[in-house]
Amino acid sequence: MNDYKKDFPLFSTDNKENRSLVYLDTAATAQRPYCVLEALKNFYENNNANPLRGLYPLSERATKIYEDARKSVADFINARNSNEIIFTRNTTESLNLVANTWGMANINAGDEIVISIMEHHSNILPWQFVAQTKGAKLVYLYIDKTTGEIPESEYSKINPKTKLVSITHVSNVLGTINPVKKIAELAHKNGAVMVVDGAQSAPHMKVDVQDIDADFFAMSAHKLCGPMGIGALYGKLELLNAMPPFLRGGEMIEYVTENDATWAEVPHKFEAGTVSAGDAAGFEAAVKYIQNIGLENIARHDAELTCRLIEGLKTIPHVNIIGNTDGTKRPGIVTFTVDGVHPHDIATLLAAENIAVRAGHHCAQPLGAYLGVNSTARASIYFYNTEEDIDYLISKVKDLRKLSGWKD
């Protein structure tokens, strides 16, 4: 694969530390290429106005940039209609939007909400709230602790009592790729709505929301080289039209009286207040940049480096890989522990070697409790990483126990 580090100012800076950084924390946030930063700069230098409100040319340009970005995001995940894309702050807000609108309006006492034990807190807490508030039951799909996958037997929990299923497409801890198309089919067969957390899948694989038949799909720009502070929620138009608004205020209204209001059409009904137009421009630049590289090329590269890392870690005594050890089944995410070395110490010792990995519970504490591993280290790979990055990490992991005072 091409050397894409040249497209990223952080890796080509005069700052020696950044230039030599082995950045393996993309699952938390990706780096931003020049084209994204230029899109942000261009908006604020040449097109800065409040979109949707002004009738003068500058505002009209800002509006066009904002709506063009919506169309580009719709194309990125193959939505039928750009109006099915709602701009939010991130995946977390997207999931909360669904929970507080569709969930609160449609889930009732005795209904069941199905999620998996591998969910990020962002896909647990909103459903806990809905279940507790409405008197519904939260049902977990558990995983095989060796493969990190949901066994076939667990799918029987999706039944006529199920009102909603919300599943991560790719686990941010295990890297497990869940069969969301199959799960959506089961959900719909039982009359339930299907929500997909796509925070970790959208950056690494081609997502087709029509093929998956997701009713809702949530994603963040910053995990696929876009700006922080903007994300997207895809929702089927018929569902969005029937949902109440999430936030109330400027721009999401059609008409307001002293005692009542009517709402703007979708998607604006869900975008209250001044929108993040500059970030939307950066979001569009990011998805076009990713499309230009090719998601199939990214997926192939991720798999090659993931396999290389897993095979390298397997050769090191006292290293334990969490989840499936088949690198082709976990796009760019490798989570591990080292006997006798706390994960926070792993991250600190590697940071001293200019390697960036993440350590902790990764906002998935129920999964850690289920696996009996409350804290882990996580290396996450993207297309700008190289074989040299992976080999350097492996060489430094070999030294961790020695640096921690162990005599193997």
Side-chain angles (χ1 to χ4, degrees), residues 1-7 293 301 383-386:
M1 200 165 183
N2 294 339
D3 178 13
Y4 286 103
K5 287 190 176 182
K6 63 180 176 11
D7 293 344
I293 295 171
H301 178 76
F383 60 88
Y384 42 62
N385 290 119
T386 63

Side-chain angles (χ1 to χ4, degrees), residues 5 8 52 64-65 70-71 86 98 124 128 135 158 188 198 207 215 242 254 259 264 283 326 358 361 380 383 389 404:
K5 287 190 176 182
F8 293 80
L52 311 171
K64 184 177 187 305
I65 288 169
R70 194 190 309 277
K71 291 175 184 175
I86 297 162
V98 178
I124 296 177
Q128 284 184 348
I158 301 172
H188 294 149
V207 171
D215 295 298
E254 180 183 43
N259 298 302
F283 198 169
D326 181 349
R358 188 148 294 253
H361 54 66
S380 49
F383 60 88
D389 289 342
S404 297

Side-chain angles (χ1 to χ4, degrees), residues 139-210:
V139 177
Y140 283 87
L141 303 180
Y142 293 96
I143 62 170
D144 181 292
K145 293 181 180 180
T146 301
T147 66
E149 297 174 348
I150 302 169
E152 194 72 26
S153 59
E154 286 292 289
Y155 293 123
S156 63
K157 293 177 179 178
I158 301 172
N159 58 53
K161 292 182 180 180
T162 306
K163 201 64 174 281
L164 179 140
V165 180
S166 192
I167 299 289
T168 184
H169 200 171
V170 172
S171 166
N172 74 308
V173 177
L174 303 169
T176 302
I177 305 171
N178 285 311
V180 291
K181 182 176 180 178
K182 173 184 175 180
I183 297 171
E185 185 178 349
L186 288 170
H188 294 149
K189 183 179 178 180
N190 286 280
V193 161
M194 178 69 180
V195 182
V196 178
D197 174 353
Q200 298 296 340
S201 62
H204 295 276
M205 62 183 69
K206 178 61 181 173
V207 171
D208 185 332
V209 291
Q210 293 187 66

Side-chain angles (χ1 to χ4, degrees), residues 7-9 29-34 36-37 222-223 225-228:
D7 293 344
F8 293 80
T29 194
Q31 294 302 324
R32 280 116 196 104
Y34 286 104
V36 169
L37 301 177
H222 73 98
K223 293 185 188 292
C225 301
M228 291 182 179

Side-chain angles (χ1 to χ4, degrees), residues 101-118:
T101 55
W102 193 95
M104 292 298 287
N106 292 279
I107 293 172
N108 298 301
D111 289 339
E112 294 183 353
I113 302 167
V114 175
I115 62 176
S116 81
I117 195 63
M118 70 180 82

Side-chain angles (χ1 to χ4, degrees), residues 18 26 67 163 201 203 242 246 281 299 331 354 356:
N18 283 353
T26 290
E67 294 302 333
K163 201 64 174 281
S201 62
F246 180 38
N354 213 19

